[in-house]
Amino acid sequence: MRKRHSAYDRPIECVLAVTLRNGTAIAFLILAASLALQVFPALRAISEWLGKAGVVAFISLPILRVSIMAVIFSVNRDAIFAAISATVLVVIGLGAALSVALANDIL
């Protein structure tokens, strides 16, 4: 009988590759649906919303990648790489917060 493997048993590259491939496919399908709905004027608002959601999905993939790396490194008790991944997440978060603040003239 074959042993079932969890995500933590596979090399990190495989987990990241599957995640990014599936995320890219989902984001593509969302954008394709947005483009297909452009044909119907009554559904233009839904089409615009799906277009924004597809772009957000593409943009969030690198953040998801770093998050997965931080979790896997933490589970594997690799403190140095977990700290590096967490630091990258903090920098991404600060960059996003700063860009929102600048866009809204808060700063």
Side-chain angles (χ1 to χ4, degrees):
M1 184 154 97
R2 292 179 65 179
K3 178 183 171 189
R4 291 193 76 188
H5 294 285
S6 71
Y8 303 113
D9 294 335
R10 290 188 269 168
I12 190 170
E13 295 87 10
C14 294
V15 174
L16 292 174
V18 168
T19 303
L20 293 176
R21 183 177 4 172
N22 292 339
T24 301
I26 290 168
F28 167 76
L29 290 174
I30 292 171
L31 286 173
S34 171
L35 288 174
L37 291 177
Q38 286 285 323
V39 175
F40 306 104
L43 299 175
R44 188 141 326 229
I46 294 172
S47 173
E48 289 178 11
W49 185 85
L50 282 175
K52 291 175 185 176
V55 170
V56 167
F58 270 121
I59 291 172
S60 66
L61 284 174
I63 299 167
L64 180 63
R65 174 190 169 111
V66 175
S67 301
I68 290 171
M69 289 171 56
V71 168
I72 291 176
F73 289 141
S74 297
V75 167
N76 291 338
R77 300 186 190 275
D78 194 344
I80 294 173
F81 285 114
I84 291 170
S85 299
T87 303
V88 170
L89 280 174
V90 168
V91 169
I92 291 171
L94 288 174
L98 183 62
S99 67
V100 168
L102 290 174
N104 293 325
D105 291 329
I106 295 173
L107 295 178

